[in-house]
Amino acid sequence: MSSSASSAEGYDAAGGDVTEVVIVRHGETSWNASRIIQGHMDAELNDIGRQQAVAVAHRLSKEVKPAAIYSSDLKRAAETAQTIARICNLPNVVFDPALRERHIGDLQGMKFPDAATERPEAYKAFMSHKRNQQIPGGGESLDQLSERCVTCLYNIVEKHKGERVIVVSHGGTIRELYRHASPTRPLHGKIHNTSVSVILVSGTTGRCIVKMCGDISHLQETSVLENAFGGDKTSA
């Protein structure tokens, strides 16, 4: 996904109830680099991922200070969020399993190129365009993923009307949040590690506007992994 901003012109924030949700994908892991399907499996950041986390944290520290930071409880997101919290001088990270990556069932822990031949049923389900298609082995459908992460988004907004918050999550989850915020403008391309997206959410109406999507300008001096598997078939 290219570094680009969607127009938020005409969005009336005069009521003071609009929450600015800054959504950050976690830093790179060795599993990303090896194109291993992570899902709910708990890989840690690698050295590049830690550099990326520091870079995005310094970027965010120069912007308006957030009221809070929320994160998936998986290690790769948690460490990214803790780095951001430390550099932005935030007291703590609120961990929420609802921000986890999609559970990818029998494909978790497999190298993506091997999945089609070794787990054909699960691979077919994963690649399906049917949003109610669950993945064998306890995997979630896209509708199930959307339900949990969008519900979490609105729970956060309810607590932070008129404020700025940071949310650290995963590729597949971020794609679903984008889809909810902008249902008529499909998201094409990849969601890079530590990319920054911004969604404005009205606490009164629930209406969302995408202000920024997939920006990685802070990674100019840190490598970007073009083929990092991000929990969804588009980023594979």
Side-chain angles (χ1 to χ4, degrees):
M1 179 172 50
S2 63
S3 172
S4 61
S6 297
S7 174
E9 292 178 6
Y11 193 76
D12 183 8
D17 74 334
V18 174
T19 303
E20 186 175 38
V21 184
V22 181
I23 305 172
V24 181
R25 187 185 171 202
H26 63 81
E28 182 185 312
T29 71
S30 60
W31 285 31
N32 287 145
S34 300
R35 301 192 74 204
I36 296 173
I37 300 171
Q38 293 175 113
H40 282 201
M41 299 187 80
D42 213 6
E44 297 181 355
L45 298 182
N46 60 17
D47 288 343
I48 292 174
R50 293 186 176 100
Q51 292 170 23
Q52 292 170 335
V54 169
V56 73
H58 280 298
R59 170 199 174 140
L60 295 172
S61 72
K62 297 171 186 174
E63 300 176 1
V64 175
K65 185 172 181 177
I69 180 167
Y70 291 79
S71 175
S72 157
D73 60 341
L74 295 175
K75 290 176 184 175
R76 55 196 186 273
E79 185 178 349
T80 303
Q82 287 164 333
T83 299
I84 294 170
R86 174 174 55 82
I87 292 175
C88 291
N89 197 28
L90 296 169
N92 65 293
V93 179
V94 181
F95 297 107
D96 194 330
L99 292 170
R100 285 185 178 190
E101 181 60 278
R102 181 185 183 185
H103 194 301
I104 311 181
D106 286 340
L107 300 184
Q108 294 187 163
M110 297 194 66
K111 286 197 173 184
F112 188 76
D114 301 332
T117 53
E118 295 187 21
R119 294 285 189 275
E121 185 180 351
Y123 180 81
K124 182 179 178 181
F126 175 66
M127 298 300 288
S128 172
H129 294 292
K130 296 179 180 177
R131 293 193 54 82
N132 64 351
Q133 175 68 63
Q134 293 176 263
I135 302 172
E140 293 175 287
S141 69
L142 290 171
D143 282 342
Q144 288 172 323
L145 171 60
S146 179
E147 172 66 23
R148 71 166 162 88
C149 67
V150 171
T151 297
C152 182
L153 172 69
Y154 282 106
N155 287 341
I156 291 170
V157 168
E158 179 64 27
K159 296 173 186 174
H160 297 284
K161 290 182 179 179
E163 296 180 327
R164 175 181 170 95
V165 295
I166 296 172
V167 171
V168 181
S169 193
H170 306 263
T173 307
I174 294 170
R175 193 173 294 277
E176 285 302 311
L177 291 173
Y178 178 92
R179 181 181 180 276
H180 172 78
S182 185
T184 62
R185 298 180 67 181
L187 178 56
H188 298 292
K190 298 175 175 64
I191 298 172
H192 292 291
N193 293 111
T194 68
S195 62
V196 174
S197 301
V198 180
I199 298 176
L200 306 178
V201 187
S202 168
T204 302
T205 66
R207 182 185 174 208
C208 300
I209 292 287
V210 177
K211 181 180 178 182
M212 177 184 293
C213 186
D215 187 83
I216 52 171
S217 56
H218 54 281
L219 294 182
Q220 291 177 357
E221 297 180 6
T222 305
S223 63
V224 178
L225 189 62
E226 289 293 335
N227 65 346
F229 183 84
D232 63 285
K233 52 186 174 288
T234 307
S235 66

